[in-house]
């Protein structure tokens, strides 16, 4: 097992390198350029299962999530080594790997944990999330999808949006309204829904960059959800959702940041190898150096989010800062690439969606808005920083 | 230890360098710079990185940011950067006699040093072992008696000379600056001045690196201190100022501008912390961490300048008056930008370094 070397970092690195060299098909990148949605999803399932054969996908799971509770430093090494070979990302598994265990660990029943967490690890079950609605984005608590109790079932009616990978998912983490009494936050309930339940209709939404996988809207019409699928108590959903959302702001960002950092160095070497024109341009050289410098700060911040989480500092503002800074920097990097790549970046070309920095700068640039908008838009983060960190009044 | 040190610096500066005294200093009604020097001397601040055997506190470079962030925050009058920078330069030369003679005096504040803040070295030449010409701008407290200057060696290479400024042939010229919290820089005019030592080749490289590393850490931290002070003052003002029947701090347009300042300062500060960690845990001879320190310094200066500039705009008309502190912030950060490399220069140098180890065959 690679993770037997978890305390000896140089041995861990070597073991990871050897394993990646053996396991990752050398032609995987070309194979996934222009891949269909179905092929891409299947490839992610296969890669997830390879990673899991060494516990690498769930290595960050704390023991209470049923994981191996890997240290932050060792986890960073895994990310760095994956980044070094530009290994495939597995975006279809984001909810399964981060949101689900965080939510169930704190609020799930033992039966729910036993049923759903091992299934992720052993069978590669994909989950999706049903939070946002057409009328409830930044103001998530105003959500209207309704669940009415009928015997041992909730009957769900409504519409969710931005549910990534919903069509490949087996289950959904769903927020519904069970009460209109009191404040809008007080009537929200958290359910697990099987995506093959009758009455669910998943429709893909094509993204601005042409991708179809990341987005879907999901319609619920008289969908019957067993009461045992309730997470926590009825009307406790808002509080539980905060835990789910906090999971977004930890290791997910660190993995991206470490990948970008490695990629910035790789791209610089590639530019030297190909004698790229921008290396002769003093202003572009300075801009590139600045991006690399900022990335060091973002990596430091992302690590801090995790160490604060581990210490239980739940009211820290670090996640809000990290969210803005990380997403803005990614957008700057992609903007710089699109700007300097010449007219080539404006040509139609198939791309590989499973890496952070693809062969198509303009497309990456467009996709970077997913980072600045999702997970609490950067404007919401600015409100938080102004009001909670700087103490500026709400009204 | 470090937290205690920082708290002690902060509490003394809070008491001694409040905004009223600072304005009085700027208007020529007190000697705040000398008073602060006296406190620094008595409390051992100036010997933070001096070895214990030379009567210092024996701490590593992580003390420099702690110290200078507080000095920036309180817009401390006078200069304290040069002492730490000069100390680091002497330590890098690692000359037993020099160390023994000067480090205890530096730690005790008995001698005040000047250090070069730009790379200018053309107009000062070493000829037949003596210095002739005029140095580039130097930073230091009033009444300096020793200095490091950049000069051109006899073989045309850049060098650093250490000089006793009380020696014959040495004149210190004032170079008044707009930043009234620092008032002036200096130049040294040298006519056949006998230097204490001229550092060339390897010794020059070591001294140059130490000077830049310590100077950039100190300046960047000073800037971050000023930047956060500008933000705090601005938020405090916005929370008091009423228009349209409400504090303008409650307006979202205003809140987002403040949040932008805060997040840019946060990133710059984290970059500086990351760079410092690389320096302290460095795996090489400091070359690599020098790149990240340079980039962090550029970011700290720029984020703080932006914070200062925004403080003027967000204060409205009063932000544009002599009476308010906003112009102090901006003057100080803009001057800091020019110390030990401007953001443009530092970023250009950084990319040179990052591409210098390129081997075309490497994977």
């Amino acid at each position: 097992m690679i993770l037997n070397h978890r305390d000896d970092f140089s041995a861990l690195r070597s073991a990871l390198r050897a394993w990646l060299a053996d396991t990752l098909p050398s032609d995987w990148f070309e194979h996934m350029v222009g891949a269909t949605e179905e092929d891409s999803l299947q490839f992610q399932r296969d890669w997830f299962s390879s990673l899991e054969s060494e516990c690498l996908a769930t290595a960050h799971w704390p023991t209470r999530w049923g994981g191996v509770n890997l240290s932050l430093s060792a986890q960073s090494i895994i990310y760095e080594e994956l980044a070094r070979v530009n290994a495939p990302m597995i975006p279809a598994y984001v909810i399964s790997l981060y949101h689900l265990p965080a939510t169930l660990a704190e609020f799930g029943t033992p039966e729910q944990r036993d049923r759903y967490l091992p299934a992720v690890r052993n069978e590669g079950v994909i989950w999706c999330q049903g939070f946002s609605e057409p009328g409830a984005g930044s103001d998530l608590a105003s959500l209207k999808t309704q669940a009415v109790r009928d015997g041992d079932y909730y009957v769900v009616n409504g519409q969710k949006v931005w549910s990534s990978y919903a069509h490949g998912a087996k289950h959904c983490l769903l927020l519904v309204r069970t009460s209109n009494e009191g404040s809008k936050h007080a009537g929200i309930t958290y359910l697990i829904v099987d995506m093959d339940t009758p009455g669910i209709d998943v429709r893909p939404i094509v993204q601005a960059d042409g991708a179809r996988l990341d987005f879907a809207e999901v319609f619920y019409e008289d969908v019957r959800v067993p009461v045992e699928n309730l997470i926590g108590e009825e009307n406790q959903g808002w509080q539980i959702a905060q835990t789910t959302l906090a999971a977004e702001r930890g290791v997910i960002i660190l993995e991206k940041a470490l990948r970008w950092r490695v990629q910035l160095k790789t791209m610089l070497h590639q530019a030297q190898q190909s004698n790229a024109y921008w290396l002769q341009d003093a202003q572009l050289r300075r801009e590139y150096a600045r991006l690399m410098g900022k990335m060091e700060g973002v990596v430091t911040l992302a690590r801090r989010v995790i160490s604060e989480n581990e210490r239980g500092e739940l009211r820290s503002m670090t996640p809000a800062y990290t969210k803005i800074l990380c997403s803005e920097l990614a957008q700057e990097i992609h903007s710089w690439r699109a700007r300097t790549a010449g007219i080539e970046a404006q040509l139609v070309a198939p791309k590989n969606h499973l890496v952070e920095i693809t062969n198509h700068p303009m497309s990456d640039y467009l996709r970077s808005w997913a980072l600045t908008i999702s997970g609490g838009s950067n404007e919401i983060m600015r409100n938080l920083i102004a009001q909670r960190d700087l103490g500026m009044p709400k009204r | 230890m470090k937290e205690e040190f920082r708290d002690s610096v902060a509490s003394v500066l809070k008491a001694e360098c409040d905004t009223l005294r600072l304005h009085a200093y700027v208007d020529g009604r007190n000697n705040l710079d000398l008073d602060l020097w006296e406190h620094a001397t008595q409390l051992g601040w100036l010997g933070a990185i001096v070895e214990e055997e030379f009567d210092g506190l024996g701490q590593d470079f992580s003390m420099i940011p702690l110290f200078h962030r507080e000095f920036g925050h309180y817009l401390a009058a006078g200069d304290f950067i040069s002492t730490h920078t000069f100390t680091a330069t002497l330590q890098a030369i690692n000359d037993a006699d020099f160390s023994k003679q000067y480090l205890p005096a530096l730690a005790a504040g008995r001698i005040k040093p000047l250090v070069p803040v730009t790379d200018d070295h053309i107009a000062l030449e070493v000829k037949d072992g003596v210095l002739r010409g005029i140095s580039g701008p130097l930073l230091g407290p009033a009444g300096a008696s020793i200095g490091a200057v950049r000069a051109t060696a006899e073989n045309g290479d850049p060098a650093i000379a250490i000089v006793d400024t009380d020696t014959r042939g040495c004149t210190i010229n004032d170079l008044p600056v707009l930043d009234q919290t620092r008032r002036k820089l200096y130049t040294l005019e040298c006519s056949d001045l006998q230097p204490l030592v001229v550092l060339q080749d390897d010794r020059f490289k070591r001294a140059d690196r130490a000077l830049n590393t310590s100077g950039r850490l100190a300046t960047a931290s000073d800037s971050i201190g000023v930047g956060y002070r500008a933000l705090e003052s601005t938020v405090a003002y916005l929370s008091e100022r009423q228009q349209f029947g409400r504090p303008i701090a409650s307006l979202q347009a205003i809140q987002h501008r403040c949040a932008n300042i805060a997040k840019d300062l946060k990133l710059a500060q984290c970059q500086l912390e990351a760079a410092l960690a690389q320096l302290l845990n460095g795996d090489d001879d400091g070359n690599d961490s020098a790149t990240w320190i340079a980039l962090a310094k550029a970011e700290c200066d720029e984020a703080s300048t932006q914070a200062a500039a925004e403080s003027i705009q967000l204060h409205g008309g009063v932000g544009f008056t002599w009476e308010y502190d906003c112009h102090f912030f901006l003057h100080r950060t803009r001057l800091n930008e020019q110390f030990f490399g401007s953001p443009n220069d530092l970023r250009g140098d950084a990319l040179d370094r990052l591409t210098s180890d390129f081997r075309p065959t490497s994977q």
Side-chain angles (χ1 to χ4, degrees), chain B residues 266-297:
Chain B
K266 177 76 82 184
L267 180 60
Q269 189 197 345
C270 283
Q271 241 183 279
L272 189 63
E273 286 169 22
L276 178 68
Q278 265 162 336
L279 174 73
L280 297 177
N281 316 322
D283 45 354
D284 58 14
D285 61 356
N287 266 319
D288 190 45
S289 62
T291 305
W292 305 112
I293 287 172
L295 288 172
K297 195 263 182 186

Side-chain angles (χ1 to χ4, degrees), chain A residues 251-394:
Chain A
V251 273
I252 301 180
I253 287 188
L254 180 65
E255 175 171 19
K256 286 184 190 296
L258 287 173
R259 278 182 176 258
W260 291 322
R261 175 157 74 161
V262 170
Q263 287 292 308
L264 280 173
K265 289 180 184 166
T266 308
M267 286 193 294
L268 182 58
H269 279 191
Q270 285 167 350
Q272 288 180 282
Q273 252 152 354
S274 64
N275 201 14
Y277 85 96
W278 69 264
L279 286 171
Q280 309 304 320
D281 183 312
Q283 181 57 24
L284 293 177
R285 288 173 71 90
R286 289 195 284 262
E287 288 172 5
Y288 201 87
R290 184 176 189 197
L291 294 173
M292 290 183 80
K294 283 183 164 188
M295 188 52 78
E296 297 300 303
V298 162
V299 167
T300 299
L301 260 179
R303 289 211 168 103
R304 187 170 304 162
V305 173
I306 296 167
S307 53
E308 285 179 355
N309 269 348
E310 285 171 354
R311 288 199 303 269
E313 291 174 31
L314 299 176
R315 299 194 64 78
S316 161
M317 293 305 296
T318 311
Y321 280 108
T322 310
K323 201 278 166 170
I324 295 190
L325 288 165
C326 195
S327 57
E328 283 187 348
L329 180 56
Q331 203 160 69
E332 276 178 59
I333 291 170
H334 296 313
S335 171
W336 187 94
R337 293 172 59 225
R339 184 155 55 86
T340 54
I343 201 161
E344 247 178 75
Q346 305 304 320
L347 303 180
V348 173
K351 75 173 229 178
N352 177 337
H353 289 271
L354 297 180
V355 289
E356 273 302 322
I357 290 185
T358 75
N359 52 318
H360 207 313
M362 182 61 193
S363 164
D364 290 354
Y365 178 45
L366 262 176
R367 201 163 58 152
S368 71
W369 269 272
L371 301 167
T372 52
I373 295 170
S374 71
S377 77
N378 285 9
E379 285 62 41
I380 293 292
M381 297 297 130
R382 285 183 172 87
N383 288 350
L384 286 177
I385 289 171
Q387 291 163 13
R388 297 208 189 146
D389 201 32
L390 305 180
M392 299 173 87
K394 251 190 166 163

